[in-house]
Amino acid sequence: MMLKYFPFVLILGLVLVGCAGEEEPIQEDTVEEVIIPEPTIEYGFVLDSFTVKRDTVLTGWTMSHMFQGYGLSQYDINIAAERAADSLVGLKYIKEGTPFIMLQDLKDTAANIQYCIYPKNRVDYVVFDFTQDSIIVEKREKPSEITERIISGEIIQNSNLTFALDQQLKDINMTGEMAEYIAGMFAWTIDFFKLHPGDEFKVIYTEKSVEGEPYAVGEITSGWFKHQGHEYYGFKYALDSTKVGMFDENGKEMKRPFLMAPVKYSRISSGFSMKRFHPVQKRWKAHLGTDYAAPKGTPIMATADGYVIAASYSGGNGNYVKIKHDDVYTTQYLHMSGFAPGIKKGVKVMQGQTIGYVGSTGLATGPHVCYRFWKNGKQIDHRAEKFPPSIPMPDSLLPDYLEFIKPIRARLDSLPITPYIVEEEAE
């Protein structure tokens, strides 16, 4: 029995002897901190893995100039240009001043190109891939961030919606987008060609940004507009999984039978009048329409659903389209530079559909669309017409909708109006 337990006792004794002696200091190994630099990544490529050449498109350059000196045959360059011009890529030519990047293999002494990165704009870029058996050309996008934003403002004397927005957005493209979004949101209730000093607006919207820089308006989710003392609300709401619309504070769809204007946010150069001095004929006559001045080529929209009963040309009207909407209303659009594809007599058009483009054909001194409006066969001023209200949403959805908009409306009501700042001219 003693022999059986001896190994255990011996080991225990050794442990006790070790504990009874002096403790030896524990030496810690010195570990040097190695800092690994962050890789340089642009357009989804780790640039540290390549020899990087940066260049800029010069005056008169084509893709042949851009690819010269990188080991490509003219045949390969032609194939790359052909595939870049494809509708999915949309790069038919390169623009002067555009910076581009050439990526080469680090170990390739011949300096042959592997990839070319060409930015189309702040978001879209084109990648030419020469590493495969067949040349691949793709349009890609930088990742975007979506952020909720709020904007408000007021209309002052000799001002308009664009001026009020421009002070805050500081980007001409975003200003134009926002003006169109707001005008589109209230297009059935507010005449944006008759805004008054003191009109105010508040909008909750989403903003798209890339690499921390905003570049576009995503969508408007809710808004408020005070026009000539009347307040209008709009809220985006999903009726079901397939239909999303804009509704007012009472649950009525904001879409109405007719848009207030056939062009997006422009200006009225001449209104409906029984006596106007004609700028071409140099005589006084009735002007039974409303002229909307806009740059040549601006899309002209059908203001309501209907059927085209004429798409033709006449000496006075120039290129024009006439649409019958129902047994009561007919509209006409004059002086077009041309018709939209597929627009001809007999076709059905939808509200907001492009039917032609602003021009100055016929008796016109400058680019504009003369919009004419018939009610029961008589031409009237459409801006004075009281159209029937929209149909409210089903009663079964209304309680949920009103509960949904309650906090959003409270938020809109509490938002302050950003004042319009008049900048003093420098002496």
Side-chain angles (χ1 to χ4, degrees):
M1 295 296 291
M2 292 293 292
L3 290 174
K4 185 176 182 180
Y5 291 97
F6 178 74
F8 173 77
V9 175
L10 179 60
I11 293 172
L12 180 59
L14 290 173
V15 174
L16 293 173
V17 170
C19 292
E22 295 182 2
E23 295 184 5
E24 295 183 3
I26 299 174
Q27 295 183 353
E28 295 183 359
D29 294 333
T30 303
V31 179
E32 293 184 2
E33 184 179 357
V34 179
I35 300 176
I36 301 176
E38 290 287 332
T40 303
I41 300 177
E42 289 186 42
Y43 298 100
F45 289 87
V46 180
L47 299 190
D48 309 270
S49 305
F50 301 92
T51 297
V52 180
K53 300 287 182 66
R54 298 179 185 270
D55 207 342
T56 303
V57 176
L58 299 180
T59 304
W61 271 25
T62 63
M63 287 188 193
S64 293
H65 297 91
M66 190 168 71
F67 289 125
Q68 281 177 1
Y70 291 97
L72 295 176
S73 66
Q74 188 60 49
Y75 175 79
D76 286 341
I77 293 174
N78 292 343
I79 291 296
E82 180 181 317
R83 293 178 180 173
D86 182 86
S87 59
L88 295 177
V89 180
L91 182 64
K92 296 183 179 180
Y93 58 89
I94 56 177
K95 295 172 60 176
E96 176 185 349
T98 302
F100 61 92
I101 302 174
M102 296 294 192
L103 302 181
Q104 302 162 304
D105 190 329
L106 282 170
K107 300 177 182 178
D108 184 4
T109 56
N112 292 326
I113 184 176
Q114 288 191 306
Y115 300 95
C116 170
I117 305 167
Y118 179 91
K120 292 186 69 177
N121 49 52
R122 293 166 67 179
V123 181
D124 303 316
Y125 61 97
V126 176
V127 174
F128 296 82
D129 182 351
F130 299 98
T131 64
Q132 310 297 320
D133 293 337
S134 177
I135 298 170
I136 299 174
V137 184
E138 296 178 319
K139 187 180 79 169
R140 302 181 185 176
E141 294 183 2
K142 292 181 179 179
S144 296
E145 296 179 357
I146 306 295
T147 309
E148 185 181 83
R149 299 292 187 197
I150 299 169
I151 195 168
S152 65
E154 62 177 327
I155 308 300
I156 65 170
Q157 192 71 36
N158 299 322
S159 175
N160 58 31
L161 182 58
T162 298
F163 292 152
L165 293 168
D166 190 50
Q167 284 200 326
Q168 300 174 64
L169 294 175
K170 304 297 184 183
D171 182 291
I172 187 171
N173 294 322
M174 289 185 65
T175 295
E177 283 183 336
M178 182 61 78
E180 288 191 4
Y181 273 122
I182 295 176
M185 182 178 187
F186 297 100
W188 296 272
T189 52
I190 297 175
D191 188 343
F192 279 84
F193 303 93
K194 295 174 65 177
L195 294 181
H196 284 213
D199 288 356
E200 299 174 330
F201 62 89
K202 304 174 187 178
V203 170
I204 300 175
Y205 69 102
T206 57
E207 176 187 84
K208 295 181 180 180
S209 62
V210 62
E211 297 174 344
E213 291 292 326
Y215 70 90
V217 177
E219 62 176 356
I220 291 179
T221 57
S222 59
W224 168 89
F225 211 108
K226 186 177 75 173
H227 175 53
Q228 298 187 42
H230 298 283
E231 296 186 57
Y232 302 91
Y233 288 88
F235 305 93
K236 183 179 179 181
Y237 184 73
L239 292 176
D240 53 42
S241 60
T242 61
K243 184 177 181 181
V244 178
M246 278 285 181
F247 301 86
D248 66 13
E249 68 274 23
N250 298 313
K252 291 183 179 180
E253 189 171 13
M254 297 182 71
K255 182 178 180 180
R256 302 289 177 84
F258 283 88
L259 295 171
M260 293 296 290
V263 287
K264 291 183 178 179
Y265 203 69
S266 182
R267 67 180 179 86
I268 292 177
S269 54
S270 182
F272 185 97
S273 174
M274 298 308 295
K275 189 177 182 181
R276 183 195 71 155
F277 188 75
H278 197 284
V280 176
Q281 297 178 325
K282 305 299 182 183
R283 63 187 178 90
W284 293 94
K285 60 183 296 187
H287 183 245
L288 303 181
T290 303
D291 290 347
Y292 292 91
K296 182 179 179 180
T298 299
I300 298 171
M301 304 175 294
T303 54
D305 299 349
Y307 287 89
V308 175
I309 58 175
S312 187
Y313 178 89
S314 70
N317 296 338
N319 294 317
Y320 72 92
V321 170
K322 195 169 186 178
I323 301 173
K324 183 177 178 63
H325 302 285
D326 53 29
D327 292 336
V328 177
Y329 296 112
T330 303
T331 58
Q332 189 178 22
Y333 314 76
L334 314 182
H335 309 305
M336 294 178 171
S337 60
F339 307 118
I343 297 300
K344 59 184 179 179
K345 184 178 179 179
V347 301
K348 180 178 175 60
V349 293
M350 305 301 291
Q351 185 181 67
Q353 179 180 336
T354 298
I355 57 174
Y357 306 93
V358 170
S360 54
T361 57
L363 292 178
T365 57
H368 73 282
V369 55
C370 178
Y371 178 56
R372 299 195 173 191
F373 198 95
W374 281 263
K375 180 179 181 180
N376 294 320
K378 180 181 178 182
Q379 283 188 260
I380 65 169
D381 183 359
H382 76 285
R383 295 161 72 224
E385 177 69 2
K386 299 297 182 182
F387 296 106
S390 60
I391 301 173
M393 69 173 58
D395 292 340
S396 59
L397 297 177
L398 189 58
D400 287 339
Y401 172 76
L402 295 177
E403 193 65 26
F404 170 78
I405 70 170
K406 187 182 297 182
I408 304 174
R409 180 174 180 176
R411 186 181 178 193
L412 284 170
D413 291 342
S414 65
L415 293 175
I417 296 294
T418 302
Y420 188 96
I421 301 173
V422 179
E423 298 180 359
E424 296 182 2
E425 295 184 4
E427 295 183 358

